[in-house]
Structures are given as structure tokens and as C-alpha cells.
Amino acid sequence: MFSPLPQAKRRVWICFLLLWIYLTSSSASARPDSLKEVTDGNWEKILSGEWMIEFYAPWCPACQQLQPVWKEFADWGEDMGVNIAKVDVTEQPGLSGRFIITSLPTIYHCKDGVFRKYQGARTKDDFLSFVDEQKWKLVEPVSSWFGPSSFLMNSMSALFKLSMFIRRCHNYMTEQLGIPNWGSYVIFGLATLFSGLALGLLLVFIADFVFPSRRFSPDYYQKKQAMEQARLIQQQDEDHEADGEEDDDEEDYEEYGDKHEVWRKRRESPEGRPEPKGQGYPDEALRKRVVGNREEEEDT
């Protein structure tokens, strides 16, 4: 038989062991929570509170060097009331486009939805002083036009998601299905063509619905008939005016023809025809002829 004292010691040791296991497990489980992960699905939570967010890629050497420092900085985040997060741009292409990530690593500070890009040194002390001393107030915030929640950045995020989806589809067709690269390009080209046609038809339907054609209005044919009648009436008036002008011209022509005929007859008659000037004679000979005729008349 065992004495009761060793059993009591065993119970004490077991309690200490369980307590130690609980503390170590809780501390181990608390460390990952200090560094939060932001994804395309939960990124809107960074619009409230204060955040420091790192955008990185696993293949980036500079990002790999920064990871230990960023984890140490995350351990201080809870005490300072700041959320420390990271974003893997290879897994979250939408956030990469939403924040226009052009270099890695990129760090943003966010305070109640206002974003500022961190440009300082990448050490733990610099990160702490940037937040604790509120040095972020000296940095110009990102314009609302280029904010992650703006319409422009939402469109950019959708474009990046689409590009990543196309890339994954291309890799699946070439690696899993064994389709050659040119075959994948042909498939994407046909898909782009048909999607453009479908989008064009959709836009035409929307335009017809929003701005319907006048041909489908109830008064269209009545207005058209009235316009045709008015045009016919105007054309008839113009024809009548043209006929009246032709009649006037005919009357003028007839009157002019009668006068011309009378004048022609008078010229043909000897009485009405004036004697031509000299009929080609010179003026002196004509004068002598006239004087001679007068002398003969006086002699008779």
C-alpha cells in the first residue's frame, strides 16, 4: 500500500504540469493572433481603428528579411492599441490592385479609413516611434480618388482578380489538360470575342430601354403622316408658282413677238424703211446729191 503523502505530491505535480501546458499553449496560440491576415473578403475591417499593414510576397528577398522584424512589431501592437496585419499579394490579387502595389514590401498606415504610405526605415524602433509619436500625421494621406474604397480602386481590384483568374485558367489548361500554349490563346481569344459581342448586345438593349426609339411611340406615325402631307402641299404650291411664271413668260413672249413682227414689216415696206446713211457713200457726195435734188425741184 502507498502512503497518502506521495499521492498528494503526484496530484500537485500533475496540476503544475497541466497549468504549464495550458500557459504555453495559450501563449503559443496568442502569438499568431497578434499578426493579423487581411484578405479580399475581410479587408473592410481595416477602415475602422488604427492599422499598420504590410504587403509582401513569399518570393521577395526584402520581404523575407522584414518578416522577423514585423512579427516583433506585431507583439507590441496590442499594448499600443494598433492592429498589425500583413497581405500576401500572390494570394490576394484584388488587394494588390486596390492599393496599387508597385514595389515590395509596401507598408501602409490606416487611421479610421485614412491611408498613408510608410516611407521610413524598416526597423522595430522606427515602426514603434512612427505609431507612438504619431509621425504619420506628417505624411500626406492618399487622395479619396485613389482610396481603396473608391470606385476607381474597386474597378482596379476587379481587373486584377480577372487577370489572376485568367492566369490560373491558362495554367490549368496547359499543365493539367495538356493543351498547348497557342491553343490556350485561341480559346481566350474566342472567349473575348463572344463576350464582347454579348456585352455589345446588352448595351444596345439597355440603350433601347432607357432611350426608346421614336418609331415605337404612338404619335410617331401620325406626326410622320402630317409631315408628309405638309411636304406635298408645299410642293404643290411651288408647282403652281412655277406654272404661273411660265404663263407670264409666254404672254411676254407673245407680246414681244407681235411687236417684232410689226417692226419687221415696217422695215420691209419702202415707206417705213429709213434710207440708209449714204448707203456706203461718203458724207460729201451725199451732201452734193441732196443739194442737186433741191436745185432741180426749184427749176421745175
Side-chain angles (χ1 to χ4, degrees):
M1 294 183 63
F2 297 96
S3 61
L5 184 58
Q7 292 180 357
K9 288 184 178 181
R10 285 181 181 177
R11 291 176 182 175
V12 172
W13 282 108
I14 291 173
C15 292
F16 276 115
L17 181 61
L18 294 175
L19 181 61
W20 180 78
I21 293 173
Y22 173 77
L23 293 176
T24 54
S25 62
S26 62
S27 61
S29 61
R31 283 185 178 179
D33 293 337
S34 60
L35 185 59
K36 299 177 175 60
E37 294 238 1
V38 179
T39 63
D40 288 322
N42 64 358
W43 74 271
E44 292 183 350
K45 68 181 182 180
I46 67 176
L47 298 178
S48 60
E50 189 173 3
W51 292 75
M52 287 286 287
I53 310 165
E54 176 205 7
F55 292 84
Y56 74 100
W59 48 264
C60 174
C63 300
Q64 295 174 2
Q65 295 177 1
L66 181 61
Q67 290 309 306
V69 178
W70 196 252
K71 289 180 180 179
E72 293 180 4
F73 175 54
D75 294 336
W76 288 80
E78 186 175 357
D79 297 334
M80 300 176 63
V82 180
N83 299 293
I84 313 300
K86 62 179 181 178
V87 178
D88 186 356
V89 295
T90 60
E91 297 294 333
Q92 311 298 330
L95 291 179
S96 176
R98 191 179 296 276
F99 286 86
I100 315 181
I101 304 302
T102 57
S103 61
L104 295 174
T106 298
I107 300 173
Y108 273 96
H109 174 270
C110 177
K111 177 69 173 178
D112 296 329
V114 180
F115 291 84
R116 293 174 172 86
K117 192 172 183 179
Y118 179 80
Q119 302 286 356
R122 299 169 185 171
T123 62
K124 184 184 71 172
D125 294 336
D126 291 317
F127 293 147
L128 293 174
S129 62
F130 183 79
V131 176
D132 188 33
E133 299 176 8
Q134 296 184 354
K135 293 181 179 180
W136 48 267
K137 291 184 177 180
L138 303 177
V139 181
E140 184 178 359
V142 177
S143 173
S144 59
W145 287 95
F146 298 98
S149 57
S150 64
F151 174 77
L152 181 61
M153 293 299 102
N154 284 327
S155 303
M156 189 69 68
S157 175
L159 182 62
F160 271 65
K161 289 181 181 179
L162 179 62
S163 64
M164 184 59 66
F165 174 75
I166 294 174
R167 181 179 178 182
R168 290 175 180 175
C169 291
H170 174 74
N171 294 335
Y172 176 77
M173 287 188 292
T174 54
E175 296 176 1
Q176 301 296 329
L177 301 180
I179 299 176
N181 291 331
W182 63 267
S184 176
Y185 298 150
V186 170
I187 292 173
F188 282 116
L190 293 175
T192 303
L193 177 62
F194 286 112
S195 61
L197 292 175
L199 182 60
L201 290 175
L202 179 62
L203 292 177
V204 170
F205 291 150
I206 293 175
D208 288 340
F209 179 77
V210 177
F211 305 103
S213 177
R214 293 182 298 175
R215 295 183 179 181
F216 298 100
S217 61
D219 300 334
Y220 173 74
Y221 293 101
Q222 296 179 0
K223 293 180 179 179
K224 184 177 180 181
Q225 187 176 4
M227 291 176 63
E228 290 180 355
Q229 292 178 356
R231 185 174 57 82
L232 291 175
I233 294 172
Q234 183 179 3
Q235 186 175 1
Q236 291 176 359
D237 294 340
E238 292 177 356
D239 293 340
H240 287 309
E241 291 178 359
D243 294 339
E245 292 177 358
E246 290 179 358
D247 295 339
D248 295 338
D249 293 339
E250 290 178 357
E251 292 177 358
D252 294 339
Y253 179 76
E254 291 176 357
E255 184 179 357
Y256 173 77
D258 295 339
K259 291 181 179 181
H260 181 71
E261 185 69 19
V262 172
W263 181 76
R264 187 178 62 81
K265 289 180 179 181
R266 290 182 64 183
R267 288 190 62 183
E268 290 177 355
S269 62
E271 296 81 4
R273 183 174 58 198
E275 185 177 0
K277 185 179 181 181
Q279 293 182 351
Y281 297 104
D283 294 341
E284 187 65 25
L286 181 61
R287 187 179 295 108
K288 289 179 179 180
R289 183 180 176 184
V290 172
V291 171
N293 291 335
R294 287 181 178 179
E295 289 178 353
E296 289 177 359
E297 289 178 358
E298 291 178 355
D299 293 340
T300 57

